[in-house]
Amino acid sequence: PPPPAGVAAPRPVPAYRREAGAWDEMLADDGSIRPHWRPFVQAMESAAPGLWENRRSAIQRLLVDHGVTYNVYNDAQNAVRPWALDAVPFIVAAEEWQTVASGIQQRTRLLNAILADLYGPQRLLREGWLPPALVHANPGFIRAACGVTPPGGAFLSSSGTDLVRGPDGAWKVLADRAQAPSGKGYALENRTILANVLGDLFDACHVQRLAGFFDSERDCLRLLAPTRRGTPSVVMMTPGPMNETYFEHAYK
């Protein structure tokens, strides 16, 4: 409910406090707001009473309208859970993200080189860099593909990297995922909904668009077609509606 007449509406930022021993995305060590967060925080502090609650409600309505769900395996009730999306986005400075992106690109090149070797000359196995049992006993290793080189040498057409920040703010890698990593469809849906509800803030914060990534992914998959005549059709195979991330299979 709105505050009584003559009483100032509570502001979200003054009530927020840093957590000791943890990296704070929004506040610097001296308590000041980090530069890339300032447009967003200023918008929060100047918002009319009830605006953010209305925006949260709008986000939830759009999630329901769009049918965004996450299926839960091994649930006694075969639960299909609605997707959760916070009205406060995770904001990363452009120059910082460039550093992260460069590191991820380097890791991707390395993973592609490893796959090219494992399905090619296998020097990593012969010279003892990787234990043969680690590769040959892995059910994901496709023996029939040995000696086959995909167009352009792109063994890895899609990958994902799990990132976390340390207490000092440094980015660290928890894991790399190369077997059809999930999350891209959800990221696109999150961005679509937030851009709809927070369009003015997207302009103020100069948010980098995601369209370029999906355009590049589509072009990459088309280049993998065995023949280059015309415009190849790209399809996605899915385990079906009971898969935990089926929403993004259908959405992408």
Side-chain angles (χ1 to χ4, degrees), residues 51-243:
L51 175 62
W52 282 97
E53 185 58 39
N54 292 339
R55 285 175 164 172
R56 281 192 288 267
S57 298
I59 288 172
Q60 295 307 310
R61 287 196 302 272
L62 287 172
L63 289 173
V64 173
D65 292 345
H66 294 183
V68 190
T69 59
Y70 184 86
N71 301 339
V72 183
Y73 286 140
N74 300 323
D75 190 284
Q77 300 178 352
N78 193 24
V80 177
R81 298 182 184 176
W83 187 248
L85 177 58
D86 201 311
V88 178
F90 185 85
I91 304 175
V92 180
E95 59 274 11
E96 182 178 20
W97 185 250
Q98 285 300 320
T99 301
V100 174
S102 296
I104 292 176
Q105 290 168 4
Q106 183 187 55
R107 295 180 73 87
T108 303
R109 290 195 298 270
L110 173 60
L111 290 172
N112 187 75
I114 291 174
L115 287 173
D117 179 76
L118 293 179
Y119 286 104
Q122 297 190 341
R123 286 183 54 193
L124 292 173
L125 303 182
R126 288 188 288 102
E127 297 178 8
W129 294 97
L130 287 176
L134 182 67
V135 176
H136 296 304
N138 192 313
F141 183 67
I142 306 173
R143 294 177 181 272
C146 289
V148 177
T149 301
F155 285 82
L156 186 63
S157 59
S158 182
S159 65
T161 304
D162 293 342
L163 298 172
V164 68
R165 278 198 197 269
D168 58 353
W171 291 92
K172 302 178 186 299
V173 173
L174 294 182
D176 293 293
R177 304 177 186 274
Q179 189 175 19
S182 61
K184 291 178 287 187
Y186 288 104
L188 179 59
E189 177 65 9
N190 290 350
R191 179 63 64 84
T192 299
I193 290 179
L194 288 182
N196 185 305
V197 177
L198 307 177
D200 54 335
L201 285 174
F202 267 56
D203 293 338
C205 295
H206 305 290
V207 177
Q208 182 173 331
R209 299 182 64 221
L210 296 180
F213 167 81
F214 289 97
D215 289 343
S216 297
E217 182 181 47
R218 178 198 59 208
D219 295 341
C220 174
L221 293 175
R222 285 177 174 171
L223 288 173
L224 295 176
T227 60
R228 303 290 181 87
R229 290 177 294 184
T231 302
S233 297
V234 177
V235 299
M236 172 177 287
M237 300 182 67
T238 172
M242 299 310 297
N243 184 263

